[in-house]
Amino acid sequence: MSNYQTNQIKLINTSLIDPHPDNPRKQIGDVTDLAASIKANGLLSPLSVVPHGQRYRVIAGHRRLAACKQAGTGAVPCFVLDLDPLQQLEAMVTENCQREQLTTMEEADAIQGMLGLGATTAGVAHQLGRSADYVRDRAKAASIDNEVRATRDDFSQLTIGQLVAIARYDGRPDLQKRLAQAAGTSNFDYTLSRIERDDRDRQWIESVAALLGEPDNGINLIPDPEKPYSDPEWRYLGCMFPSTGTPEEAIEKIREQNPAAVSIHTVSQQVYLWTRRDKTADAEKEAQRAAEQAERDARRHALEEYAAASADKRMAWLHGHLHGIKRAKLVETTARLGLLQIIDPFPGGFTDALTNWNDHTGSREEYEKITGITAEDAPTAARISLQTDDWPLEAASILAARFEWFIDPTDWTTVNDISRRIPGYYQILQDLGYTPADDETSHLDQLIAAITEADSDENEEDEENNQ
């Protein structure tokens, strides 16, 4: 203020004095205590004002003016200054900066206002006693739109470093808002680094695209195939991305690989390389895949047919022979079947209470094949039979039915909890007099060999882990 001060003091009624609309300091705060002091002691320091028509505007003393009006003071002493708009703003900025009353954004807006009125960066720096970089950083921060500033109530309190980082993405409010939300948290540096990386990648892909778009560069640039994994003409060969090197280095590496074509992907920031499909080779591969699938389907169909036929054979034998087995043998069989089924993987599985049998479709059809009693009548018939002396026959029928229900065609070729019990089940049946057919014996031998191999691999793995 000393550069613009005058020794001439004039008494002016506070009703004729207005706050300056360009005052950098937007909030004057509570002036209650200051108003009480002025009411008791009067205004000790004159205001600095400039004429504005028939009225005046404050240059220095906005808080004192507000306190005077609150205290009901009439005329107050004022220095009346003759300043142009730039000088007015310079004077207000200088006063507030010296008193450290401005937020970073208030100072930034004020500095930009001075530059907008024709001041130079060097001139503002000299006026404030700051460096040119200090002025330039705040001018950058002042460029942030109000839409971005409104993302948080304390935006003006952000550090100048955070504000400069936000201002760097002028014209991209989505990024500026992301940074504004992260400012003041431990996530800010990470968010900024991700944005900077994405920006570098975007610039990289744009530069590569420009180089690829040059005429006579010898590289075939095509649109991305509509069906990249099944396009009839193009087959994916590889890709180039920012870590490949500079745009020029990426072009050289593309030339080295000499693809039939390349396409640009701005979203993934990658250049895809393509080779032309060998339709004859593709047709051969497709025919081979079809043949392999047909073979798998045939094996699955044969396995399903075998599983169904062998199950029917076992249950037909049980239907025709269980009644003729002695009671003691049936008791033993019931115990063996029960023990075999204790390790069932389904909770409750084979040992479900008969009272729950009504809730299960499983095993009732198998029970019908073994006993001849309809699936609908199975629960009632089973409960009655289990209360008679013939309960071993009934128990053996129920347990066998449950076991048959659990066997799936794939259990004959896959080692799992169910398949591991199939050989034991067959042993129980053979002890009752059942004779497996040749195909059953063959499948059993293959299953036992697979189980043995799986157990051996598991033991070797355990030994390695224990070493």
Side-chain angles (χ1 to χ4, degrees):
M1 282 298 299
S2 60
N3 292 339
Y4 307 112
Q5 193 61 277
T6 176
N7 292 324
Q8 297 180 358
I9 296 179
K10 180 178 181 180
L11 289 175
I12 303 174
N13 196 292
T14 55
S15 64
L16 297 176
I17 306 174
D18 302 314
H20 201 293
D22 294 330
N23 180 30
R25 188 180 181 197
K26 303 306 180 185
Q27 302 294 331
I28 63 172
D30 185 12
V31 295
T32 302
D33 291 342
L34 181 57
S37 175
I38 291 174
K39 191 171 186 178
N41 305 308
L43 182 63
L44 301 180
S45 298
L47 306 178
S48 295
V49 300
V50 293
H52 184 69
Q54 301 299 316
R55 300 179 65 81
Y56 297 88
R57 287 179 172 175
V58 177
I59 296 297
H62 283 81
R63 282 177 54 80
R64 282 171 283 156
L65 173 63
C68 286
K69 291 187 176 184
Q70 183 172 317
T73 305
V76 294
C78 300
F79 292 114
V80 180
L81 310 177
D82 182 16
L83 305 175
D84 62 31
L86 176 56
Q87 291 173 325
Q88 293 176 31
L89 187 53
E90 286 177 342
M92 289 186 288
V93 172
T94 301
E95 181 200 28
N96 282 288
C97 287
Q98 290 172 345
R99 296 185 181 183
E100 298 182 353
Q101 293 176 329
L102 297 181
T103 66
T104 304
M105 279 307 304
E106 287 175 339
E107 187 180 14
D109 289 336
I111 288 175
Q112 181 55 46
M114 294 165 66
L115 295 173
L117 290 173
T120 64
T121 299
V124 174
H126 177 75
Q127 181 72 27
L128 301 179
R130 304 285 190 175
S131 68
D133 286 341
Y134 183 95
V135 173
R136 279 191 286 267
D137 285 347
R138 279 147 184 80
K140 291 176 185 175
S143 68
I144 301 173
D145 290 341
N146 289 332
E147 178 186 355
V148 178
R149 299 186 190 191
T151 56
R152 52 189 299 168
D153 295 336
D154 62 345
F155 190 88
S156 63
Q157 305 297 327
L158 301 185
T159 67
I160 187 60
Q162 293 168 343
L163 292 170
V164 169
I166 294 171
R168 191 184 309 157
Y169 295 95
D170 184 34
R172 303 182 68 183
D174 55 328
L175 300 184
Q176 289 185 315
K177 290 176 182 178
R178 279 178 58 191
L179 287 170
Q181 288 300 320
T185 71
S186 58
N187 198 40
F188 180 79
D189 289 341
Y190 172 76
T191 302
L192 178 59
S193 65
R194 286 292 302 270
I195 290 175
E196 289 174 340
R197 188 197 66 186
D198 292 344
D199 206 42
R200 288 193 300 271
D201 291 351
R202 178 183 58 82
Q203 293 175 13
W204 181 87
I205 197 70
E206 289 176 353
S207 298
V208 172
L211 292 173
L212 289 173
E214 292 179 355
D216 303 324
N217 65 10
I219 300 176
N220 181 23
L221 180 62
I222 64 169
D224 185 38
E226 293 183 5
K227 300 178 179 179
Y229 300 107
S230 60
D231 188 83
E233 182 175 2
W234 302 107
R235 180 171 60 83
Y236 176 75
L237 184 63
C239 68
M240 296 288 179
F241 35 86
S243 62
T244 302
T246 66
E248 291 74 16
E249 290 171 341
I251 295 297
E252 287 305 312
K253 290 184 178 181
I254 291 174
R255 293 186 192 281
E256 291 174 6
Q257 294 198 29
N258 192 29
V262 300
S263 62
I264 297 291
H265 292 258
T266 55
V267 175
S268 61
Q269 315 293 4
Q270 294 179 342
V271 179
Y272 285 2
L273 313 183
W274 304 94
T275 185
R276 292 189 183 277
R277 287 191 179 278
D278 184 337
K279 297 183 179 180
T280 301
D282 287 349
E284 291 176 354
K285 289 181 180 179
E286 183 59 33
Q288 181 180 354
R289 283 195 294 267
E292 292 172 351
Q293 184 61 48
E295 184 179 348
R296 287 193 295 271
D297 291 343
R299 286 199 301 268
R300 186 182 67 252
H301 181 67
L303 183 62
E304 290 172 349
E305 286 189 334
Y306 159 74
S310 62
D312 287 342
K313 179 176 178 293
R314 292 190 300 271
M315 288 186 285
W317 186 90
L318 289 167
H319 176 72
H321 292 81
L322 273 184
H323 287 83
I325 297 173
K326 293 182 178 181
R327 189 174 191 278
K329 187 65 174 178
L330 287 174
V331 172
E332 177 189 337
T333 299
T334 298
R336 293 176 68 186
L337 285 171
L339 288 172
L340 184 66
Q341 298 171 13
I342 284 175
I343 58 172
D344 174 58
F346 286 2
F350 290 111
T351 56
D352 265 351
L354 276 173
T355 53
N356 293 332
W357 210 4
N358 286 320
D359 301 326
H360 297 289
T361 57
S363 83
R364 286 170 62 172
E365 292 182 0
E366 288 75 11
Y367 176 84
E368 179 177 343
K369 292 179 181 179
I370 292 173
T371 64
I373 299 172
T374 64
E376 182 180 358
D377 295 333
T380 300
R383 281 196 294 272
I384 293 172
S385 296
L386 287 172
Q387 298 176 36
T388 69
D389 289 340
D390 289 334
W391 68 264
L393 174 62
E394 187 65 27
S397 300
I398 292 171
L399 290 170
R402 293 290 284 168
F403 202 97
E404 293 289 350
W405 175 59
F406 268 88
I407 298 177
D408 186 83
T410 58
D411 293 331
W412 284 97
T413 56
T414 305
V415 177
N416 55 43
D417 288 339
I418 300 297
S419 63
R420 287 179 180 277
R421 292 198 291 278
I422 290 177
Y425 180 53
Y426 264 85
Q427 187 60 57
I428 293 172
L429 295 180
Q430 288 177 272
D431 288 348
L432 291 175
Y434 178 78
T435 302
D438 290 344
D439 58 347
E440 289 180 284
T441 301
S442 174
H443 277 85
L444 275 171
D445 290 343
Q446 293 176 31
L447 179 58
I448 292 171
I451 293 172
T452 302
E453 182 179 357
D455 290 343
S456 176
D457 293 342
E458 187 175 315
N459 291 334
E460 289 179 3
E461 184 177 344
D462 289 341
E463 291 177 1
E464 291 177 358
N465 292 334
N466 292 329
Q467 288 179 354

